[in-house]
Amino acid sequence: MSTYAAPMKDMQFVIKELVGLDQVSAMPECAEVTADLVDAVLEEASKFAAAVLDPLNRSGDREGVRLVDGKVIVPQGFSEAYRQFVAGGWNGLSGETAFGGQGLPHVVAMPVQEMWNSANMAFCLCPMLTSGVLEALRLRGSAAQRRLFLPKLTSGEWSGTMNLTEPQAGSDLSAVRARAVPEGDHYRIHGTKIFITWGEHDMAENIIHLVLARTPDAPEGVKGISLFIVPKVLVNADGSLGERNDVKCVSLEHKLGIHASPTCVLAYGEGKGAIGYLVGEENRGLETMFIMMNHARLGVGLEGAALAERAYQHALEYAKTRVQGRAIGQRSGDRVTIIHHPDVRRMLMVMKAQTEAMRALAYTASAALDLSRHHPDDPERRRNQALVDLLIPIVKGWCTESSIEVASTGIQIHGGMGFIEETGAAQFLRDARITTIYEGTTGMQAADLVGRKVGSEKGATAFALIGEMRKLDVELARSRNADVAAQRDNLKHAVDDLNRATQWLVDTFAQDPNAVAAVSVPYLKLWGTVAGGWLMARAASIAETQLAAGVGDAEFYRAKIATARFYSEHILLKASGLAGEVVNGAGSVMALSETQF
């Protein structure tokens, strides 16, 4: 059984050299975020991930969670780990300083979250959802709500959830039936919510639920949905805890993976009704919930990269220790570990290259998020916000889909032993499988990408990013390193394919939206594949420059260049097929009638 070790060198490289920490720290609000500070934060986070969270991952998966008399019992060790997590200040890493947070930018918080997810994704889901509640209340909560709830949500003394789904309302939130009846300065909430991650537990002293519900006079559809703060335990005006609210967990879902994370069915208002407080205006709750969902979607995309990293490390250790067969061409002599076999090397390289590309894309989005919030120039803030909006569905969709492929490849490297639970390889695939579904399926991310992010703005942001990708061609043309230069043609063709598919989408969107929807997922995968190749080629170019200057870890830079070339020759080439699928494949998707299926 492998143990998790944070990929510190790659994380530091992406933050400092590829994404560019200097452009983040150049902003006045981030001036204190130096390279030394980043190193110190990552080092301490890696220790916590390895020493506290990773040892609980396998045991938590085996033990799972239980519901006893309405109380969720978490796996052994989780409550103590959460207390250490809160005491260490980790929950407030990127929280506002006004409410006790450390105010660090997302580009620093992102690798820390990756560590938590690699070490123990089930545990990490709890603080991830809390951070989403913080974001929603920071932007839409009243001053009184922020004063009352944000300090303890920031510290982690209280956790948070979002409550959207109901038995009849999954992705179609217009079907939400939960009711909110006004009563003085609050509302009484009645209804049932399902699939509520960490909806009940005793690790934190209170849970703050953000709940979608309808007021009595609300219009039909999504325009009639409001958002409410519904605490598990009511909070007095002075911040102290009062009586238990009328909300309880009535059952737990039995899931394929993330067994240590309770996924709850919550009943609101079985008695007098759960007390809730309106966030923002009535009938505008979905707008605020989407703030939280977008925040969570970036986090879930990162989960994909994190699980891919963990699956890769697990498979790598097995490949280095499992003795099986002789080297090719050897008919006698000692048998060798399977890492000596070329196809195992190929699989490991696929896992490594995909994971590094996913990390680079997720961190790029987080840096753009920081610039969209803190850059002193309004045009730059707006440009980066548009980039974030474009990248979030790509990060969420492509990174999670890729994580399933990487985790599955990890099982293949284990051979028959990978299909046996005791080796631990299967858990990463089981855990990764949910990431393409929750916070919006890949199809929903793709619909968002082709509709709101590309089609509706006629590809303005998409074409601008494609233009940035084309600029790398000049650097690659000047390269004297054969492995770097070899990536030029493949990248150029891939970017051309992306441009061609984007132009087709823009031309087709208004006249035939069904055709665009039919190939939206291949289009999203095309974006992830090409953006990943662009970032890997950029990384290789940076590594070449550093090698020529004789600075840094030469072995790391040489490995980065080799990995980038592998990505170019084994993964990036898939862009051509994806582009062809987008441009030519819509008709066959809709070719059969319902009766022909």
Side-chain angles (χ1 to χ4, degrees), residues 342-425:
D343 191 56
V344 173
R345 287 286 186 96
R346 179 192 62 81
M347 289 188 285
L348 287 171
M349 285 296 289
V350 168
M351 297 176 80
K352 177 179 172 62
Q354 279 278 72
T355 301
E356 290 184 12
M358 292 155 66
R359 177 178 298 119
L361 186 60
Y363 289 16
T364 296
S366 69
L369 183 58
D370 289 324
L371 293 169
S372 74
R373 290 183 176 175
H374 303 304
H375 200 283
D377 296 330
D378 182 63
E380 274 300 297
R381 288 196 302 273
R382 286 188 280 110
R383 186 184 70 81
N384 278 282
Q385 184 60 58
L387 180 59
V388 171
D389 292 341
L390 176 73
L391 289 179
I392 280 180
I394 300 168
V395 171
K396 201 283 184 184
W398 180 69
C399 289
T400 57
E401 290 284 348
S402 298
S403 74
I404 294 173
E405 296 175 14
V406 170
S408 180
T409 300
I411 291 178
Q412 185 74 14
I413 288 173
H414 282 74
M417 296 302 293
F419 205 65
I420 306 300
E421 284 287 351
E422 283 73 14
T423 61

Side-chain angles (χ1 to χ4, degrees), residues 290-312:
F290 266 111
I291 294 172
M292 189 174 182
M293 288 179 67
N294 260 336
H295 184 87
R297 284 170 176 174
L298 185 56
V300 174
L302 183 70
E303 288 175 3
L307 287 168
E309 174 65 38
R310 192 67 186 89
Y312 167 66

Side-chain angles (χ1 to χ4, degrees), residues 12-34:
Q12 291 166 329
F13 170 79
V14 176
I15 295 171
K16 297 177 186 178
E17 301 179 61
L18 182 59
V19 170
L21 178 65
D22 54 349
Q23 65 175 336
V24 175
S25 58
M27 298 183 294
E29 292 187 44
C30 303
E32 296 181 2
V33 184
T34 64

Side-chain angles (χ1 to χ4, degrees), residues 77-397:
F78 269 55
S79 292
E80 175 58 29
Y82 189 79
R83 284 192 290 271
Q84 293 182 53
F85 183 83
V86 171
W90 292 113
N91 199 74
L93 196 66
S94 58
E96 289 185 277
T97 55
F99 300 106
Q102 299 176 47
L104 291 179
H106 283 276
V107 77
V108 180
M110 188 67 76
V112 173
Q113 290 179 35
E114 182 190 333
M115 293 180 197
W116 303 154
N117 279 300
S118 285
N120 196 324
M121 175 182 158
F123 177 95
C124 185
L125 284 170
C126 183
M128 186 197 80
L129 286 166
T130 302
S131 69
V133 173
L134 281 165
E135 183 70 3
L137 294 183
R138 181 183 74 85
L139 294 175
R140 296 295 174 87
S142 67
Q145 289 170 345
R146 292 196 296 270
R147 285 195 302 270
L148 193 61
F149 295 106
L150 291 194
K152 290 195 174 182
L153 283 168
T154 299
S155 70
E157 293 172 78
W158 299 350
S159 67
T161 73
M162 60 178 178
N163 288 230
L164 292 77
T165 310
E166 299 177 8
Q168 79 293 338
S171 57
D172 180 11
L173 293 175
S174 66
V176 164
R177 294 177 187 165
R179 296 178 293 115
V181 180
E183 183 181 276
D185 65 349
H186 58 265
Y187 293 72
R188 292 283 182 176
I189 313 296
H190 301 266
T192 300
K193 296 290 182 178
I194 64 173
F195 299 158
I196 309 306
T197 302
W198 285 97
E200 171 59 32
H201 61 91
D202 60 0
M203 298 198 306
E205 64 180 8
N206 202 3
I207 304 173
I208 308 303
H209 304 292
L210 290 189
V211 182
L212 290 181
R214 294 183 183 281
T215 56
D217 299 325
E220 292 296 319
V222 295
K223 293 182 179 180
I225 298 175
S226 301
L227 183 67
F228 300 89
I229 298 170
V230 186
K232 170 185 172 180
V233 182
L234 295 174
V235 182
N236 298 319
D238 62 358
S240 62
L241 295 181
E243 63 183 33
R244 178 69 185 259
N245 207 354
D246 188 8
V247 53
K248 66 178 181 179
C249 178
V250 294
S251 68
L252 295 176
E253 308 292 359
H254 302 286
K255 308 187 297 292
L256 175 67
I258 52 172
H259 293 154
S261 169
T263 303
C264 305
V265 176
L266 296 182
Y268 289 87
E270 289 193 338
K272 295 181 179 179
I275 292 177
Y277 305 94
L278 180 68
V279 178
E281 302 174 26
E282 282 192 12
N283 304 326
R284 298 187 65 180
L286 200 58
E287 297 174 26
T288 304
M289 185 59 80
F290 266 111
I291 294 172
M292 189 174 182
M293 288 179 67
N294 260 336
H295 184 87
R297 284 170 176 174
L298 185 56
V300 174
L302 183 70
E303 288 175 3
L307 287 168
E309 174 65 38
R310 192 67 186 89
Y312 167 66
Q313 290 189 18
H314 200 74
L316 178 62
E317 178 171 303
Y318 186 82
K320 287 183 174 181
T321 56
R322 172 65 167 170
V323 176
Q324 190 79 2
R326 295 185 175 91
I328 290 178
Q330 297 294 323
R331 296 185 178 181
S332 61
D334 294 338
R335 287 172 170 79
V336 296
T337 53
I338 62 173
I339 198 171
H340 289 81
H341 302 317
D343 191 56
V344 173
R345 287 286 186 96
R346 179 192 62 81
M347 289 188 285
L348 287 171
M349 285 296 289
V350 168
M351 297 176 80
K352 177 179 172 62
Q354 279 278 72
T355 301
E356 290 184 12
M358 292 155 66
R359 177 178 298 119
L361 186 60
Y363 289 16
T364 296
S366 69
L369 183 58
D370 289 324
L371 293 169
S372 74
R373 290 183 176 175
H374 303 304
H375 200 283
D377 296 330
D378 182 63
E380 274 300 297
R381 288 196 302 273
R382 286 188 280 110
R383 186 184 70 81
N384 278 282
Q385 184 60 58
L387 180 59
V388 171
D389 292 341
L390 176 73
L391 289 179
I392 280 180
I394 300 168
V395 171
K396 201 283 184 184

